Amino acid sequence: GDTITTDRPARGAGNIESPGAQDRYAFGEEEYNWALKNNLRMETTAAKLYEEAWPVVEDTRRQMVELARQIGQKRGMTLPADGPQAVQAVFEELGKDYPKTDAEMVNWYRESGVKLVDYARRTGVFDVPADYKLDVVETPPPLRASIDGAAYYPAPPFKQSGVGRFYVSPTDNDPAALQANNRAALADLAVHEGFPGHDWHYKVMTQYRGEIAPVRWLTPGAVEDSSSMWEDSMASEGWALYSEALMAEPAAGAPEGFYTPEERLYQLKGKLYRDLRVRIDTGIHTGKMTYDEAVDLFSEVVDFQPGKCSDASKTEAKRASCDSSERAIFRYSKWPTQAITYRLGKDQIFALRAEASKLLGDKFSPKEFHLLFMRQGTIPAGYFREELLRELQKGVGSRQ
């Protein structure tokens, strides 16, 4: 089966050398634009995405600063006047409530999964079958080298047997890595990899696999290398990121949505680096940004750690941030257009939902919309937009 990659900034030891001044990894602007149009079915350009990305990043950072100040006030903290430093201080405080062992960490993820499914049943956001259970397991040793944090492996789509796995990689009880999986940080990742993200998405698709054309299950190009076309990523990663935002929306009996304010801060951090990746991926692959500039930018924006990674006198926190930023940029350099599919796929779902809501008025049902979207299979929404809207209208007509 295709791997749904982890979507956290990487953690752990090890540094990867920069590809050097020749930028041999760069995809090229013409190729990038071709892929946007022909693979991802998008009417835009790399240059446009690059320019439009920055205001989105700035807005998410602004929301994080505001929320961090509210959390600080609630907890009686005296926060620095500087916005990024205030966010950093709140993250440090939240990092103190962390699992003390790998076993406890995996258990906390399981508990998060149970809470999410209970929330969906209580609020009616989704119709969850009684036998649905989110399976969270420790990553088996052969897969640990390739799973840095957590990942989801779907069950084979055409077999009746088999189960999807939400893997969480052990940290060898490393306190720093366990702190990164603190109580507030867990919920967002459990949503993305588990419910209602990848696990729920794939279980729904498997349930309706007889209605999904086999060609929609194919992954064009290779799986997870530079020749992959990432068409499946627009739907699957777009859905998982959309799920993170969906759980922040008010629901019946839950005016604040699923997250606590502390969990919401981590959800915004997850949004932030997916927003930034649109700027970075288009930048490094079309020559607007060097590899090292991208590493510096990722560390400064996502980790709120100012300064350059080349600075010899950097703090321990900055060094750790630079290491994880380096691994993130290395991944994007090898997989042109993959890093943008999260935010662009999510944006497409929101746009489709708004269009369907406008079209159907008070007969619009978010629950029906979500189910119909998931039943389309893992292809970009640009390929089925009209069909989905037609089906929704047909469904409303048949109920009248």
Side-chain angles (χ1 to χ4, degrees), residues 218-256:
L218 296 178
T219 304
V223 176
E224 292 193 0
D225 77 11
S226 57
S227 67
S228 178
M229 295 178 185
W230 303 116
E231 292 185 358
D232 57 323
S233 197
M234 278 291 277
S236 59
E237 297 299 357
W239 174 262
L241 185 57
Y242 171 81
S243 295
E244 293 179 39
L246 182 66
M247 291 295 100
E249 291 182 8
E256 303 297 317

Side-chain angles (χ1 to χ4, degrees), residues 135-168:
D135 210 13
V136 183
V137 288
E138 199 171 280
T139 308
L143 292 175
R144 284 177 197 170
S146 63
I147 297 178
D148 200 355
Y152 185 73
Y153 277 55
F158 302 119
K159 290 183 180 175
Q160 298 293 339
S161 61
V163 64
R165 298 282 192 199
F166 174 5
Y167 288 128
V168 176

Side-chain angles (χ1 to χ4, degrees), residues 23-271:
D23 291 354
R24 291 182 188 275
Y25 57 83
F27 199 33
E29 191 153 3
E30 201 179 323
E31 288 81 357
Y32 206 104
N33 288 339
W34 188 95
L36 285 170
K37 186 173 191 294
N38 296 286
N39 298 344
L40 306 185
R41 197 75 174 227
M42 296 205 64
E43 296 299 321
T44 188
T45 63
K48 202 167 176 217
L49 288 173
Y50 179 83
E51 290 305 326
E52 290 170 350
W54 193 245
V56 178
V57 169
E58 287 184 313
D59 184 59
T60 306
R61 295 242 310 173
R62 182 191 54 72
Q63 289 180 55
M64 287 181 75
V65 171
E66 279 178 20
L67 184 54
R69 295 215 180 278
Q70 288 169 24
I71 292 168
Q73 195 174 5
K74 185 181 81 173
R75 290 171 167 249
M77 295 170 68
T78 306
L79 295 178
D82 175 72
Q85 284 180 18
V87 175
Q88 196 59 29
V90 171
F91 277 137
E92 278 170 26
E93 179 64 24
L94 298 179
K96 292 173 185 173
D97 184 11
Y98 67 94
K100 301 305 181 280
T101 63
D102 287 338
E104 190 176 22
M105 173 182 73
V106 173
N107 201 41
W108 282 14
Y109 274 108
R110 275 197 199 105
E111 287 171 4
S112 270
V114 169
K115 277 189 208 158
L116 280 159
V117 175
D118 285 349
Y119 173 82
R121 288 192 174 122
R122 193 174 76 246
T123 58
V125 178
F126 294 101
D127 288 325
V128 188
D131 62 350
Y132 174 80
K133 182 175 166 287
L134 178 60
D135 210 13
V136 183
V137 288
E138 199 171 280
T139 308
L143 292 175
R144 284 177 197 170
S146 63
I147 297 178
D148 200 355
Y152 185 73
Y153 277 55
F158 302 119
K159 290 183 180 175
Q160 298 293 339
S161 61
V163 64
R165 298 282 192 199
F166 174 5
Y167 288 128
V168 176
S169 293
T171 68
D172 294 325
N173 298 321
D174 170 27
L178 288 166
Q179 278 171 12
N181 289 279
N182 64 69
R183 201 177 289 279
L186 289 172
D188 183 52
L189 187 52
V191 169
H192 185 100
E193 306 291 355
F195 183 90
H198 291 318
D199 188 68
W200 178 240
H201 190 189
Y202 273 84
K203 282 196 169 76
V204 167
M205 283 192 289
T206 302
Q207 185 189 340
Y208 291 97
R209 63 177 161 241
E211 298 169 27
I212 300 171
V215 72
R216 293 192 178 198
W217 292 95
L218 296 178
T219 304
V223 176
E224 292 193 0
D225 77 11
S226 57
S227 67
S228 178
M229 295 178 185
W230 303 116
E231 292 185 358
D232 57 323
S233 197
M234 278 291 277
S236 59
E237 297 299 357
W239 174 262
L241 185 57
Y242 171 81
S243 295
E244 293 179 39
L246 182 66
M247 291 295 100
E249 291 182 8
E256 303 297 317
F258 173 78
Y259 305 113
T260 63
E262 290 81 359
E263 288 169 340
R264 168 85 170 131
L265 189 65
Y266 275 97
Q267 185 254 322
L268 284 172
K269 184 179 182 181
K271 178 183 186 299

Side-chain angles (χ1 to χ4, degrees), residues 208-395:
Y208 291 97
R209 63 177 161 241
E211 298 169 27
I212 300 171
V215 72
R216 293 192 178 198
W217 292 95
L218 296 178
T219 304
V223 176
E224 292 193 0
D225 77 11
S226 57
S227 67
S228 178
M229 295 178 185
W230 303 116
E231 292 185 358
D232 57 323
S233 197
M234 278 291 277
S236 59
E237 297 299 357
W239 174 262
L241 185 57
Y242 171 81
S243 295
E244 293 179 39
L246 182 66
M247 291 295 100
E249 291 182 8
E256 303 297 317
F258 173 78
Y259 305 113
T260 63
E262 290 81 359
E263 288 169 340
R264 168 85 170 131
L265 189 65
Y266 275 97
Q267 185 254 322
L268 284 172
K269 184 179 182 181
K271 178 183 186 299
L272 177 67
Y273 72 86
R274 274 62 153 264
D275 292 345
L276 180 67
R277 291 194 317 197
V278 178
R279 176 84 166 183
I280 283 178
D281 201 66
T282 52
I284 63 172
H285 284 295
T286 63
K288 290 184 173 65
M289 193 184 292
T290 68
Y291 187 94
D292 291 337
E293 282 169 352
V295 174
D296 285 344
L297 187 65
F298 197 91
S299 171
E300 284 185 32
V301 171
V302 174
D303 292 333
F304 292 84
Q305 291 284 346
K308 292 197 179 305
C309 288
S310 56
D311 184 357
S313 61
K314 56 183 174 281
T315 63
E316 185 59 28
K318 179 67 175 176
R319 186 199 60 74
S321 165
C322 289
D323 284 354
S324 64
S325 300
E326 167 76 20
R327 288 193 298 282
I329 304 307
F330 185 76
R331 167 185 157 182
Y332 312 151
S333 73
K334 297 290 179 241
W335 293 353
T337 75
Q338 196 268 349
I340 67 172
T341 58
Y342 297 74
R343 202 207 84 195
L344 300 184
K346 178 200 80 172
D347 288 353
Q348 282 188 342
I349 302 173
F350 272 116
L352 254 176
R353 190 176 96 177
E355 211 173 336
S357 177
K358 194 176 169 186
L359 197 65
L360 303 176
D362 58 5
K363 295 186 176 61
F364 174 71
S365 160
K367 196 188 289 188
E368 277 179 40
F369 169 79
H370 292 140
L371 184 60
L372 198 54
F373 180 88
M374 287 188 277
R375 283 165 56 180
Q376 300 300 323
T378 54
I379 61 172
Y383 288 95
F384 61 73
R385 178 183 155 274
E386 290 86 356
E387 185 189 334
L388 183 140
L389 292 170
R390 251 196 323 272
E391 281 190 60
L392 279 171
Q393 280 180 293
K394 205 164 68 188

